[in-house]
PDB file of all heavy atoms in Angstrom:
ATOM      1  N   LEU A   1      -4.889 -13.833 -22.670  1.00 90.00           N
ATOM      2  CA  LEU A   1      -5.869 -13.248 -21.787  1.00 90.00           C
ATOM      3  C   LEU A   1      -5.693 -13.679 -20.327  1.00 90.00           C
ATOM      4  O   LEU A   1      -5.757 -12.841 -19.474  1.00 90.00           O
ATOM      5  CB  LEU A   1      -7.260 -13.702 -22.299  1.00 90.00           C
ATOM      6  CG  LEU A   1      -8.484 -13.164 -21.477  1.00 90.00           C
ATOM      7  CD1 LEU A   1      -8.523 -11.668 -21.670  1.00 90.00           C
ATOM      8  CD2 LEU A   1      -9.721 -13.858 -21.945  1.00 90.00           C
ATOM      9  N   THR A   2      -5.355 -14.909 -20.155  1.00 93.00           N
ATOM     10  CA  THR A   2      -5.112 -15.381 -18.761  1.00 93.00           C
ATOM     11  C   THR A   2      -3.920 -14.742 -18.106  1.00 93.00           C
ATOM     12  O   THR A   2      -3.962 -14.257 -16.991  1.00 93.00           O
ATOM     13  CB  THR A   2      -4.885 -16.928 -18.764  1.00 93.00           C
ATOM     14  OG1 THR A   2      -6.032 -17.560 -19.333  1.00 93.00           O
ATOM     15  CG2 THR A   2      -4.617 -17.459 -17.358  1.00 93.00           C
ATOM     16  N   LEU A   3      -2.852 -14.571 -18.903  1.00 90.00           N
ATOM     17  CA  LEU A   3      -1.636 -13.919 -18.368  1.00 90.00           C
ATOM     18  C   LEU A   3      -1.915 -12.464 -18.055  1.00 90.00           C
ATOM     19  O   LEU A   3      -1.396 -11.884 -17.127  1.00 90.00           O
ATOM     20  CB  LEU A   3      -0.473 -14.051 -19.296  1.00 90.00           C
ATOM     21  CG  LEU A   3       0.114 -15.470 -19.402  1.00 90.00           C
ATOM     22  CD1 LEU A   3       1.036 -15.556 -20.534  1.00 90.00           C
ATOM     23  CD2 LEU A   3       0.742 -15.901 -18.111  1.00 90.00           C
ATOM     24  N   GLY A   4      -2.710 -11.756 -18.997  1.00 87.00           N
ATOM     25  CA  GLY A   4      -3.042 -10.407 -18.738  1.00 87.00           C
ATOM     26  C   GLY A   4      -3.845 -10.192 -17.547  1.00 87.00           C
ATOM     27  O   GLY A   4      -3.647  -9.275 -16.724  1.00 87.00           O
ATOM     28  N   LEU A   5      -4.886 -11.101 -17.349  1.00 93.00           N
ATOM     29  CA  LEU A   5      -5.742 -10.959 -16.147  1.00 93.00           C
ATOM     30  C   LEU A   5      -4.930 -11.290 -14.875  1.00 93.00           C
ATOM     31  O   LEU A   5      -5.145 -10.658 -13.833  1.00 93.00           O
ATOM     32  CB  LEU A   5      -6.903 -11.924 -16.297  1.00 93.00           C
ATOM     33  CG  LEU A   5      -7.960 -11.595 -17.297  1.00 93.00           C
ATOM     34  CD1 LEU A   5      -9.027 -12.694 -17.416  1.00 93.00           C
ATOM     35  CD2 LEU A   5      -8.588 -10.237 -16.952  1.00 93.00           C
ATOM     36  N   LEU A   6      -4.022 -12.182 -14.930  1.00 93.00           N
ATOM     37  CA  LEU A   6      -3.093 -12.468 -13.804  1.00 93.00           C
ATOM     38  C   LEU A   6      -2.251 -11.251 -13.406  1.00 93.00           C
ATOM     39  O   LEU A   6      -2.135 -10.864 -12.294  1.00 93.00           O
ATOM     40  CB  LEU A   6      -2.198 -13.665 -14.121  1.00 93.00           C
ATOM     41  CG  LEU A   6      -1.253 -14.101 -13.037  1.00 93.00           C
ATOM     42  CD1 LEU A   6      -2.024 -14.588 -11.831  1.00 93.00           C
ATOM     43  CD2 LEU A   6      -0.365 -15.197 -13.521  1.00 93.00           C
ATOM     44  N   ASP A   7      -1.738 -10.553 -14.479  1.00 89.00           N
ATOM     45  CA  ASP A   7      -0.988  -9.358 -14.255  1.00 89.00           C
ATOM     46  C   ASP A   7      -1.871  -8.264 -13.611  1.00 89.00           C
ATOM     47  O   ASP A   7      -1.396  -7.618 -12.648  1.00 89.00           O
ATOM     48  CB  ASP A   7      -0.359  -8.868 -15.582  1.00 89.00           C
ATOM     49  CG  ASP A   7       0.440  -7.603 -15.370  1.00 89.00           C
ATOM     50  OD1 ASP A   7       1.414  -7.647 -14.577  1.00 89.00           O
ATOM     51  OD2 ASP A   7       0.152  -6.618 -16.038  1.00 89.00           O
ATOM     52  N   ILE A   8      -3.040  -8.047 -14.127  1.00 90.00           N
ATOM     53  CA  ILE A   8      -3.982  -7.087 -13.578  1.00 90.00           C
ATOM     54  C   ILE A   8      -4.334  -7.446 -12.091  1.00 90.00           C
ATOM     55  O   ILE A   8      -4.296  -6.590 -11.219  1.00 90.00           O
ATOM     56  CB  ILE A   8      -5.295  -6.975 -14.391  1.00 90.00           C
ATOM     57  CG1 ILE A   8      -4.876  -6.352 -15.783  1.00 90.00           C
ATOM     58  CG2 ILE A   8      -6.332  -6.225 -13.706  1.00 90.00           C
ATOM     59  CD1 ILE A   8      -6.009  -6.441 -16.766  1.00 90.00           C
ATOM     60  N   GLY A   9      -4.621  -8.753 -11.880  1.00 96.00           N
ATOM     61  CA  GLY A   9      -5.004  -9.161 -10.521  1.00 96.00           C
ATOM     62  C   GLY A   9      -3.851  -8.956  -9.529  1.00 96.00           C
ATOM     63  O   GLY A   9      -4.077  -8.459  -8.379  1.00 96.00           O
ATOM     64  N   LEU A  10      -2.615  -9.270  -9.901  1.00 95.00           N
ATOM     65  CA  LEU A  10      -1.439  -9.082  -9.045  1.00 95.00           C
ATOM     66  C   LEU A  10      -1.214  -7.556  -8.811  1.00 95.00           C
ATOM     67  O   LEU A  10      -0.834  -7.133  -7.719  1.00 95.00           O
ATOM     68  CB  LEU A  10      -0.219  -9.755  -9.595  1.00 95.00           C
ATOM     69  CG  LEU A  10      -0.192 -11.240  -9.530  1.00 95.00           C
ATOM     70  CD1 LEU A  10       0.982 -11.812 -10.285  1.00 95.00           C
ATOM     71  CD2 LEU A  10      -0.171 -11.743  -8.112  1.00 95.00           C
ATOM     72  N   GLY A  11      -1.465  -6.757  -9.836  1.00 93.00           N
ATOM     73  CA  GLY A  11      -1.255  -5.302  -9.721  1.00 93.00           C
ATOM     74  C   GLY A  11      -2.229  -4.737  -8.725  1.00 93.00           C
ATOM     75  O   GLY A  11      -1.942  -3.898  -7.895  1.00 93.00           O
ATOM     76  N   VAL A  12      -3.516  -5.150  -8.861  1.00 97.00           N
ATOM     77  CA  VAL A  12      -4.543  -4.688  -7.905  1.00 97.00           C
ATOM     78  C   VAL A  12      -4.274  -5.040  -6.504  1.00 97.00           C
ATOM     79  O   VAL A  12      -4.391  -4.278  -5.565  1.00 97.00           O
ATOM     80  CB  VAL A  12      -5.947  -5.169  -8.375  1.00 97.00           C
ATOM     81  CG1 VAL A  12      -6.960  -5.044  -7.280  1.00 97.00           C
ATOM     82  CG2 VAL A  12      -6.366  -4.461  -9.693  1.00 97.00           C
ATOM     83  N   LEU A  13      -3.849  -6.326  -6.330  1.00 98.00           N
ATOM     84  CA  LEU A  13      -3.444  -6.805  -4.971  1.00 98.00           C
ATOM     85  C   LEU A  13      -2.268  -5.998  -4.411  1.00 98.00           C
ATOM     86  O   LEU A  13      -2.326  -5.568  -3.261  1.00 98.00           O
ATOM     87  CB  LEU A  13      -3.054  -8.305  -5.013  1.00 98.00           C
ATOM     88  CG  LEU A  13      -2.666  -8.946  -3.693  1.00 98.00           C
ATOM     89  CD1 LEU A  13      -3.809  -9.010  -2.753  1.00 98.00           C
ATOM     90  CD2 LEU A  13      -2.133 -10.316  -3.940  1.00 98.00           C
ATOM     91  N   TRP A  14      -1.222  -5.878  -5.221  1.00 97.00           N
ATOM     92  CA  TRP A  14      -0.043  -5.075  -4.746  1.00 97.00           C
ATOM     93  C   TRP A  14      -0.389  -3.646  -4.419  1.00 97.00           C
ATOM     94  O   TRP A  14      -0.028  -3.194  -3.325  1.00 97.00           O
ATOM     95  CB  TRP A  14       1.018  -5.108  -5.839  1.00 97.00           C
ATOM     96  CG  TRP A  14       2.154  -4.088  -5.579  1.00 97.00           C
ATOM     97  CD1 TRP A  14       2.318  -3.003  -6.233  1.00 97.00           C
ATOM     98  CD2 TRP A  14       3.084  -4.156  -4.525  1.00 97.00           C
ATOM     99  NE1 TRP A  14       3.408  -2.246  -5.713  1.00 97.00           N
ATOM    100  CE2 TRP A  14       3.849  -2.940  -4.656  1.00 97.00           C
ATOM    101  CE3 TRP A  14       3.326  -5.044  -3.468  1.00 97.00           C
ATOM    102  CZ2 TRP A  14       4.914  -2.629  -3.798  1.00 97.00           C
ATOM    103  CZ3 TRP A  14       4.348  -4.707  -2.610  1.00 97.00           C
ATOM    104  CH2 TRP A  14       5.154  -3.522  -2.774  1.00 97.00           C
ATOM    105  N   TRP A  15      -1.083  -2.906  -5.301  1.00 97.00           N
ATOM    106  CA  TRP A  15      -1.359  -1.555  -4.999  1.00 97.00           C
ATOM    107  C   TRP A  15      -2.394  -1.381  -3.863  1.00 97.00           C
ATOM    108  O   TRP A  15      -2.391  -0.442  -3.109  1.00 97.00           O
ATOM    109  CB  TRP A  15      -1.852  -0.869  -6.281  1.00 97.00           C
ATOM    110  CG  TRP A  15      -0.722  -0.564  -7.212  1.00 97.00           C
ATOM    111  CD1 TRP A  15      -0.510  -1.106  -8.349  1.00 97.00           C
ATOM    112  CD2 TRP A  15       0.359   0.351  -6.980  1.00 97.00           C
ATOM    113  NE1 TRP A  15       0.674  -0.608  -8.902  1.00 97.00           N
ATOM    114  CE2 TRP A  15       1.224   0.313  -8.082  1.00 97.00           C
ATOM    115  CE3 TRP A  15       0.658   1.224  -5.916  1.00 97.00           C
ATOM    116  CZ2 TRP A  15       2.398   1.023  -8.135  1.00 97.00           C
ATOM    117  CZ3 TRP A  15       1.823   1.950  -5.934  1.00 97.00           C
ATOM    118  CH2 TRP A  15       2.692   1.845  -7.106  1.00 97.00           C
ATOM    119  N   GLY A  16      -3.332  -2.343  -3.653  1.00 97.00           N
ATOM    120  CA  GLY A  16      -4.213  -2.389  -2.540  1.00 97.00           C
ATOM    121  C   GLY A  16      -3.469  -2.428  -1.282  1.00 97.00           C
ATOM    122  O   GLY A  16      -3.741  -1.740  -0.312  1.00 97.00           O
ATOM    123  N   LEU A  17      -2.489  -3.464  -1.166  1.00 98.00           N
ATOM    124  CA  LEU A  17      -1.727  -3.571   0.048  1.00 98.00           C
ATOM    125  C   LEU A  17      -0.841  -2.326   0.294  1.00 98.00           C
ATOM    126  O   LEU A  17      -0.688  -1.875   1.389  1.00 98.00           O
ATOM    127  CB  LEU A  17      -0.836  -4.795  -0.078  1.00 98.00           C
ATOM    128  CG  LEU A  17      -1.500  -6.143  -0.038  1.00 98.00           C
ATOM    129  CD1 LEU A  17      -0.501  -7.299  -0.386  1.00 98.00           C
ATOM    130  CD2 LEU A  17      -2.173  -6.351   1.292  1.00 98.00           C
ATOM    131  N   PHE A  18      -0.306  -1.740  -0.843  1.00 97.00           N
ATOM    132  CA  PHE A  18       0.522  -0.559  -0.703  1.00 97.00           C
ATOM    133  C   PHE A  18      -0.338   0.624  -0.112  1.00 97.00           C
ATOM    134  O   PHE A  18       0.151   1.354   0.764  1.00 97.00           O
ATOM    135  CB  PHE A  18       1.077  -0.197  -2.036  1.00 97.00           C
ATOM    136  CG  PHE A  18       1.968   1.037  -2.063  1.00 97.00           C
ATOM    137  CD1 PHE A  18       3.217   0.952  -1.576  1.00 97.00           C
ATOM    138  CD2 PHE A  18       1.464   2.248  -2.535  1.00 97.00           C
ATOM    139  CE1 PHE A  18       4.017   2.063  -1.581  1.00 97.00           C
ATOM    140  CE2 PHE A  18       2.315   3.384  -2.507  1.00 97.00           C
ATOM    141  CZ  PHE A  18       3.586   3.287  -2.077  1.00 97.00           C
ATOM    142  N   VAL A  19      -1.534   0.761  -0.613  1.00 96.00           N
ATOM    143  CA  VAL A  19      -2.404   1.865  -0.107  1.00 96.00           C
ATOM    144  C   VAL A  19      -2.807   1.660   1.356  1.00 96.00           C
ATOM    145  O   VAL A  19      -2.721   2.590   2.181  1.00 96.00           O
ATOM    146  CB  VAL A  19      -3.694   1.982  -0.992  1.00 96.00           C
ATOM    147  CG1 VAL A  19      -4.761   2.855  -0.334  1.00 96.00           C
ATOM    148  CG2 VAL A  19      -3.365   2.526  -2.370  1.00 96.00           C
ATOM    149  N   LEU A  20      -3.096   0.412   1.684  1.00 95.00           N
ATOM    150  CA  LEU A  20      -3.400   0.133   3.140  1.00 95.00           C
ATOM    151  C   LEU A  20      -2.163   0.395   3.998  1.00 95.00           C
ATOM    152  O   LEU A  20      -2.340   0.979   5.127  1.00 95.00           O
ATOM    153  CB  LEU A  20      -3.856  -1.318   3.254  1.00 95.00           C
ATOM    154  CG  LEU A  20      -5.226  -1.627   2.689  1.00 95.00           C
ATOM    155  CD1 LEU A  20      -5.476  -3.155   2.810  1.00 95.00           C
ATOM    156  CD2 LEU A  20      -6.310  -0.863   3.371  1.00 95.00           C
ATOM    157  N   LEU A  21      -1.032  -0.035   3.574  1.00 95.00           N
ATOM    158  CA  LEU A  21       0.181   0.266   4.410  1.00 95.00           C
ATOM    159  C   LEU A  21       0.483   1.691   4.505  1.00 95.00           C
ATOM    160  O   LEU A  21       0.783   2.145   5.648  1.00 95.00           O
ATOM    161  CB  LEU A  21       1.343  -0.517   3.808  1.00 95.00           C
ATOM    162  CG  LEU A  21       2.708  -0.334   4.508  1.00 95.00           C
ATOM    163  CD1 LEU A  21       2.602  -0.989   5.888  1.00 95.00           C
ATOM    164  CD2 LEU A  21       3.847  -0.911   3.681  1.00 95.00           C
ATOM    165  N   THR A  22       0.437   2.466   3.484  1.00 94.00           N
ATOM    166  CA  THR A  22       0.714   3.879   3.521  1.00 94.00           C
ATOM    167  C   THR A  22      -0.325   4.626   4.331  1.00 94.00           C
ATOM    168  O   THR A  22      -0.013   5.561   4.992  1.00 94.00           O
ATOM    169  CB  THR A  22       0.891   4.480   2.129  1.00 94.00           C
ATOM    170  OG1 THR A  22      -0.271   4.213   1.381  1.00 94.00           O
ATOM    171  CG2 THR A  22       2.066   4.003   1.421  1.00 94.00           C
ATOM    172  N   ALA A  23      -1.593   4.218   4.284  1.00 92.00           N
ATOM    173  CA  ALA A  23      -2.650   4.781   5.093  1.00 92.00           C
ATOM    174  C   ALA A  23      -2.340   4.570   6.549  1.00 92.00           C
ATOM    175  O   ALA A  23      -2.420   5.546   7.348  1.00 92.00           O
ATOM    176  CB  ALA A  23      -3.994   4.274   4.735  1.00 92.00           C
ATOM    177  N   ARG A  24      -1.873   3.426   6.936  1.00 90.00           N
ATOM    178  CA  ARG A  24      -1.570   3.106   8.329  1.00 90.00           C
ATOM    179  C   ARG A  24      -0.328   3.917   8.753  1.00 90.00           C
ATOM    180  O   ARG A  24      -0.281   4.442   9.863  1.00 90.00           O
ATOM    181  CB  ARG A  24      -1.342   1.659   8.499  1.00 90.00           C
ATOM    182  CG  ARG A  24      -1.004   1.273   9.891  1.00 90.00           C
ATOM    183  CD  ARG A  24      -1.144  -0.252  10.099  1.00 90.00           C
ATOM    184  NE  ARG A  24      -2.312  -0.357  11.037  1.00 90.00           N
ATOM    185  CZ  ARG A  24      -2.830  -1.480  11.307  1.00 90.00           C
ATOM    186  NH1 ARG A  24      -2.472  -2.569  10.805  1.00 90.00           N
ATOM    187  NH2 ARG A  24      -3.819  -1.538  12.191  1.00 90.00           N
ATOM    188  N   LEU A  25       0.655   3.975   7.902  1.00 87.00           N
ATOM    189  CA  LEU A  25       1.919   4.719   8.245  1.00 87.00           C
ATOM    190  C   LEU A  25       1.604   6.203   8.371  1.00 87.00           C
ATOM    191  O   LEU A  25       2.230   6.892   9.120  1.00 87.00           O
ATOM    192  CB  LEU A  25       3.008   4.459   7.242  1.00 87.00           C
ATOM    193  CG  LEU A  25       3.684   3.105   7.350  1.00 87.00           C
ATOM    194  CD1 LEU A  25       4.664   2.895   6.214  1.00 87.00           C
ATOM    195  CD2 LEU A  25       4.329   2.945   8.629  1.00 87.00           C
ATOM    196  N   SER A  26       0.721   6.727   7.468  1.00 88.00           N
ATOM    197  CA  SER A  26       0.460   8.167   7.565  1.00 88.00           C
ATOM    198  C   SER A  26      -0.184   8.549   8.888  1.00 88.00           C
ATOM    199  O   SER A  26       0.034   9.550   9.459  1.00 88.00           O
ATOM    200  CB  SER A  26      -0.433   8.628   6.416  1.00 88.00           C
ATOM    201  OG  SER A  26      -1.763   8.084   6.540  1.00 88.00           O
ATOM    202  N   GLY A  27      -1.066   7.585   9.368  1.00 84.00           N
ATOM    203  CA  GLY A  27      -1.633   7.843  10.785  1.00 84.00           C
ATOM    204  C   GLY A  27      -0.580   7.823  11.785  1.00 84.00           C
ATOM    205  O   GLY A  27      -0.566   8.617  12.719  1.00 84.00           O
ATOM    206  N   LEU A  28       0.400   6.910  11.700  1.00 82.00           N
ATOM    207  CA  LEU A  28       1.505   6.836  12.630  1.00 82.00           C
ATOM    208  C   LEU A  28       2.346   8.077  12.561  1.00 82.00           C
ATOM    209  O   LEU A  28       2.818   8.568  13.586  1.00 82.00           O
ATOM    210  CB  LEU A  28       2.313   5.537  12.360  1.00 82.00           C
ATOM    211  CG  LEU A  28       3.556   5.329  13.257  1.00 82.00           C
ATOM    212  CD1 LEU A  28       3.088   5.011  14.679  1.00 82.00           C
ATOM    213  CD2 LEU A  28       4.359   4.236  12.662  1.00 82.00           C
ATOM    214  N   MET A  29       2.607   8.611  11.349  1.00 81.00           N
ATOM    215  CA  MET A  29       3.496   9.759  11.191  1.00 81.00           C
ATOM    216  C   MET A  29       2.841  10.990  11.695  1.00 81.00           C
ATOM    217  O   MET A  29       3.570  12.050  11.889  1.00 81.00           O
ATOM    218  CB  MET A  29       3.904   9.876   9.749  1.00 81.00           C
ATOM    219  CG  MET A  29       4.855   8.799   9.244  1.00 81.00           C
ATOM    220  SD  MET A  29       6.268   8.567  10.312  1.00 81.00           S
ATOM    221  CE  MET A  29       7.134  10.112  10.096  1.00 81.00           C
ATOM    222  N   ARG A  30       1.506  11.045  11.936  1.00 83.00           N
ATOM    223  CA  ARG A  30       0.918  12.225  12.470  1.00 83.00           C
ATOM    224  C   ARG A  30       1.266  12.456  13.949  1.00 83.00           C
ATOM    225  O   ARG A  30       1.062  13.527  14.462  1.00 83.00           O
ATOM    226  CB  ARG A  30      -0.593  12.158  12.235  1.00 83.00           C
ATOM    227  CG  ARG A  30      -0.994  12.356  10.777  1.00 83.00           C
ATOM    228  CD  ARG A  30      -2.463  12.502  10.632  1.00 83.00           C
ATOM    229  NE  ARG A  30      -2.786  12.649   9.249  1.00 83.00           N
ATOM    230  CZ  ARG A  30      -3.355  11.754   8.509  1.00 83.00           C
ATOM    231  NH1 ARG A  30      -3.713  10.573   9.012  1.00 83.00           N
ATOM    232  NH2 ARG A  30      -3.650  11.943   7.199  1.00 83.00           N
ATOM    233  N   GLU A  31       1.675  11.349  14.605  1.00 83.00           N
ATOM    234  CA  GLU A  31       2.093  11.445  15.981  1.00 83.00           C
ATOM    235  C   GLU A  31       3.434  12.045  16.080  1.00 83.00           C
ATOM    236  O   GLU A  31       4.276  11.855  15.174  1.00 83.00           O
ATOM    237  CB  GLU A  31       2.027  10.082  16.621  1.00 83.00           C
ATOM    238  CG  GLU A  31       0.668   9.412  16.615  1.00 83.00           C
ATOM    239  CD  GLU A  31       0.712   7.955  17.099  1.00 83.00           C
ATOM    240  OE1 GLU A  31       1.799   7.563  17.620  1.00 83.00           O
ATOM    241  OE2 GLU A  31      -0.282   7.284  16.948  1.00 83.00           O
ATOM    242  N   SER A  32       3.662  12.807  17.153  1.00 83.00           N
ATOM    243  CA  SER A  32       4.925  13.605  17.230  1.00 83.00           C
ATOM    244  C   SER A  32       6.102  12.690  17.498  1.00 83.00           C
ATOM    245  O   SER A  32       7.241  12.963  17.025  1.00 83.00           O
ATOM    246  CB  SER A  32       4.833  14.684  18.188  1.00 83.00           C
ATOM    247  OG  SER A  32       4.677  14.139  19.494  1.00 83.00           O
ATOM    248  N   GLY A  33       5.967  11.711  18.294  1.00 87.00           N
ATOM    249  CA  GLY A  33       7.170  10.836  18.704  1.00 87.00           C
ATOM    250  C   GLY A  33       7.799  10.170  17.520  1.00 87.00           C
ATOM    251  O   GLY A  33       9.019  10.337  17.293  1.00 87.00           O
ATOM    252  N   PRO A  34       7.158   9.324  16.738  1.00 85.00           N
ATOM    253  CA  PRO A  34       7.796   8.676  15.597  1.00 85.00           C
ATOM    254  C   PRO A  34       8.285   9.665  14.564  1.00 85.00           C
ATOM    255  O   PRO A  34       9.255   9.485  13.893  1.00 85.00           O
ATOM    256  CB  PRO A  34       6.661   7.780  15.033  1.00 85.00           C
ATOM    257  CG  PRO A  34       5.707   7.612  16.097  1.00 85.00           C
ATOM    258  CD  PRO A  34       5.804   8.792  16.937  1.00 85.00           C
ATOM    259  N   ARG A  35       7.562  10.769  14.456  1.00 86.00           N
ATOM    260  CA  ARG A  35       8.001  11.789  13.419  1.00 86.00           C
ATOM    261  C   ARG A  35       9.340  12.480  13.841  1.00 86.00           C
ATOM    262  O   ARG A  35      10.199  12.654  12.985  1.00 86.00           O
ATOM    263  CB  ARG A  35       6.951  12.844  13.272  1.00 86.00           C
ATOM    264  CG  ARG A  35       7.210  13.787  12.198  1.00 86.00           C
ATOM    265  CD  ARG A  35       6.123  14.761  11.923  1.00 86.00           C
ATOM    266  NE  ARG A  35       6.445  15.623  10.854  1.00 86.00           N
ATOM    267  CZ  ARG A  35       5.727  15.712   9.690  1.00 86.00           C
ATOM    268  NH1 ARG A  35       4.703  15.030   9.606  1.00 86.00           N
ATOM    269  NH2 ARG A  35       6.068  16.589   8.759  1.00 86.00           N
ATOM    270  N   LYS A  36       9.534  12.681  15.145  1.00 90.00           N
ATOM    271  CA  LYS A  36      10.752  13.267  15.619  1.00 90.00           C
ATOM    272  C   LYS A  36      11.904  12.285  15.364  1.00 90.00           C
ATOM    273  O   LYS A  36      12.972  12.730  14.996  1.00 90.00           O
ATOM    274  CB  LYS A  36      10.639  13.620  17.107  1.00 90.00           C
ATOM    275  CG  LYS A  36       9.853  14.906  17.337  1.00 90.00           C
ATOM    276  CD  LYS A  36       9.878  15.261  18.836  1.00 90.00           C
ATOM    277  CE  LYS A  36       9.023  16.459  19.139  1.00 90.00           C
ATOM    278  NZ  LYS A  36       8.980  16.732  20.507  1.00 90.00           N
TER     279      LYS A  36
END
């Protein structure tokens, strides 16, 4: 149970950071300079 909860916690942390990073990068990619 402890190892399973640790896996779930790390997965939530990883995917949360991934979503925040991609949200920030999508805003950056909407600008024409970096996209070019």
Side-chain angles (χ1 to χ4, degrees):
L1 180 65
T2 302
L3 290 171
L5 290 174
L6 181 65
D7 180 57
I8 290 170
L10 289 172
V12 167
L13 178 68
W14 165 252
W15 285 111
L17 290 172
F18 182 76
V19 166
L20 290 174
L21 179 66
T22 54
R24 179 164 249 172
L25 285 175
S26 71
L28 179 68
M29 291 307 295
R30 287 190 182 108
E31 298 173 12
S32 65
R35 187 175 182 119
K36 284 182 182 180

